[in-house]
Amino acid sequence: MASDVAVSDPLFALQHQTLNNLARPTARSLGLYNAGLSAEAVRQQYGVTHIAKLASNENPSGASPQVVSVLQKDAGFSAVYSDAASGQLRDALAKYTGVSADKIVTGNGSEDILHMLALAFLNPGDRVVTLIPSFGLHEIFPRMMGADVTLVGVDQHQQFDVVAWEQALSMPAKMVIFSNPSNPVGCMLDKDGFARIIAAAPQECVLVIDEAYFEYCQDDPDYPDSLAVLAAQSRPWIVLRTFSKAYGLAGLRVGYGLASHPELVNLLNRVRTPFNINRAAQAAAVAAIGDQAHVRASVALVRVQRKCMAAELTRLGFYVAPSHANFLFFDCGRSSGEMAQQLLRYGVIIKPWREPGYEQWIRVSIGNEEDNQQFIDALKAILAQGAA
Ligand SMILES: *Cc1c(COP(=O)(O)O)cnc(C)c1O
């Protein structure tokens, strides 16, 4: 490869040194988001024909047929800029959520909104409180700004540890971020726990509630109505949701935030890239909102398959954390990195966890029946080898 040749080149070495001198120290030392492998890379490297890609919580039902037809119609407009304000999409979201459009911000995935929140609020040394194990960007974006991140663990049953949260929040913090249900554990903070954590948060802080898996819980009577609870208090807050999971639009990148106040949206608008959501994605998301039957069907399929997969994993002797989302988190009893490598040979991609204390844990997405079976069969084969 060209870069291997260049390593011995003095000019290349000098350029490397200069880059490192110029870069912000926080950028140089930042952890990389673990985005996982593509199906194509695994197909090529391992020569497996059928890949079960169960690493990124993608939707096995895909997008609504209405989305597909809108994308085909919009294909002729590639030369035209998208609407920088995402007007139609925000109007559709306002109608669907009951939150007025001036309190809605849209992002190139909800990760884009997490990025905007970090840019708009965090100075070096500010304290951010979040969960561990957790969605990587809840920690990486604050660290990018030089913030100090406090990580609150789950309890021994892999549930939100509300008492630990109350303690962590008894000290000043600029921002509180957690996902409910959580990724990667899948645990759900119930109404009482949610109210307690919100009440415990410092008065001067921004509350960021990441509901990427909202659709999988919204009809659960124990799932907090975050918008109602948050509306009754004075701190700034934002609830993040996404089209990547239950709507099946991960590849198009659309997420949205429902904010406490139009001024919060104004602040985020100042730090975001102006045309952050492309045309196709805006049109697709509007169509996706219109097909709630598709969302319900995709959620129902995940529920059935999740139950089957959890039962299979338990039968194989693994401890599986109870999940309210479209994935399972389980202790595979050995290095999850090694297990992940072995699974690749069988064409199965899962996410081995890397955070301290979770190096034996795997997060596996709920796919369709065939992919899930491929995963279980591969696990059985690997276990049988170990026993032989
Ligand atoms: C998947 C996920 C997201 C969303 O990502 P997008 O950028 O909208 O694709 C955000 N938060 C959590 C916790 C997630 O699991």
Side-chain angles (χ1 to χ4, degrees):
M1 278 190 301
S3 61
D4 291 335
V5 178
V7 171
S8 56
D9 175 351
L11 178 61
F12 184 84
L14 185 60
Q15 288 171 335
H16 185 265
Q17 184 59 46
T18 310
L19 276 173
N20 272 310
N21 293 342
L22 294 173
R24 291 171 59 228
T26 39
R28 272 201 319 257
S29 62
L30 214 53
L32 261 188
Y33 180 73
N34 172 15
L37 296 162
S38 74
E40 196 43 49
V42 174
R43 202 173 284 130
Q44 283 183 6
Q45 196 178 338
Y46 294 90
V48 209
T49 46
H50 188 264
I51 306 292
K53 187 169 184 282
L54 302 175
S56 303
N57 300 344
E58 290 149 342
N59 191 330
S61 308
S64 155
Q66 294 178 32
V67 167
V68 178
S69 96
V70 159
L71 286 175
Q72 281 159 349
K73 273 193 225 131
D74 209 47
F77 290 90
S78 303
V80 183
Y81 276 103
S82 62
D83 172 9
S86 297
Q88 284 185 9
L89 174 54
R90 285 169 50 242
D91 286 345
L93 284 167
K95 217 166 172 186
Y96 173 63
T97 61
V99 174
S100 60
D102 61 352
K103 293 197 271 187
I104 299 178
V105 61
T106 45
N108 184 28
S110 52
E111 62 182 23
D112 186 27
I113 306 174
L114 289 166
H115 191 236
M116 296 176 210
L117 286 161
L119 288 173
F121 288 100
L122 299 177
N123 284 311
D126 283 342
R127 182 167 176 262
V128 173
V129 184
T130 190
L131 262 177
I132 182 171
S134 192
F135 183 59
L137 298 176
H138 291 172
E139 187 181 344
I140 294 171
F141 286 151
R143 290 209 196 277
M144 176 183 78
M145 306 307 294
D148 290 328
V149 181
T150 300
L151 301 170
V152 181
V154 288
D155 68 15
Q156 82 256 39
H157 306 294
Q158 305 299 318
Q159 300 297 319
F160 277 85
D161 188 340
V162 178
V163 173
W165 271 95
E166 287 173 334
Q167 278 166 1
L169 296 176
S170 66
M171 286 166 285
K174 175 71 90 63
M175 189 177 280
V176 174
I177 312 180
F178 61 86
S179 54
N180 189 27
S182 103
N183 172 10
V185 178
C187 55
M188 184 184 88
L189 184 60
D190 65 11
K191 287 187 157 135
D192 176 58
F194 185 78
R196 279 172 59 191
I197 289 179
I198 299 305
Q203 273 308 320
E204 293 268 311
C205 82
V206 186
L207 300 167
V208 181
I209 316 299
D210 186 338
E211 293 185 343
Y213 303 94
F214 167 79
E215 293 81 8
Y216 299 93
C217 296
Q218 67 185 118
D219 56 5
D220 186 325
D222 293 330
Y223 189 59
D225 181 349
S226 55
L227 294 177
V229 175
L230 292 165
Q233 50 94 57
S234 65
R235 300 169 191 84
W237 52 265
I238 187 164
V239 173
L240 304 182
R241 293 184 190 156
T242 180
F243 287 92
S244 296
K245 310 289 162 52
Y247 287 90
L249 303 188
L252 287 168
R253 318 298 307 120
V254 199
Y256 61 101
L258 306 169
S260 52
H261 196 284
E263 186 55 22
L264 176 46
V265 173
N266 285 337
L267 277 166
L268 299 181
N269 278 337
R270 289 185 168 76
V271 297
R272 73 174 167 89
T273 55
F275 300 98
N276 59 335
I277 309 172
N278 68 66
R279 287 188 67 94
Q282 292 188 28
V286 171
I289 296 168
D291 191 356
Q292 290 298 319
H294 179 78
V295 176
R296 279 193 297 275
S298 83
V299 168
L301 172 95
V302 160
R303 286 216 183 106
V304 170
Q305 289 297 318
R306 183 177 69 203
K307 202 170 165 194
C308 295
M309 202 198 274
E312 289 274 13
L313 289 171
T314 306
R315 216 171 294 143
L316 291 174
F318 297 115
Y319 173 75
V320 186
S323 172
H324 294 266
N326 66 345
F327 52 81
L328 292 171
F329 195 51
F330 70 100
D331 183 346
C332 75
R334 58 175 92 179
S335 154
S336 58
E338 282 168 30
M339 181 68 104
Q341 282 298 324
Q342 288 179 290
L343 285 165
L344 288 177
R345 294 176 207 281
Y346 296 87
V348 177
I349 316 178
I350 49 83
K351 193 151 182 168
W353 218 252
R354 293 183 180 157
E355 283 175 290
Y358 290 89
E359 298 92 341
Q360 298 205 351
W361 289 72
I362 283 174
R363 192 195 68 194
V364 57
S365 310
I366 308 298
N368 60 30
E369 195 173 350
E370 186 191 3
D371 288 354
N372 300 340
Q373 195 58 50
Q374 186 173 341
F375 162 65
I376 293 292
D377 289 345
L379 261 186
K380 283 182 183 164
I382 292 165
L383 292 177
Q385 283 161 22

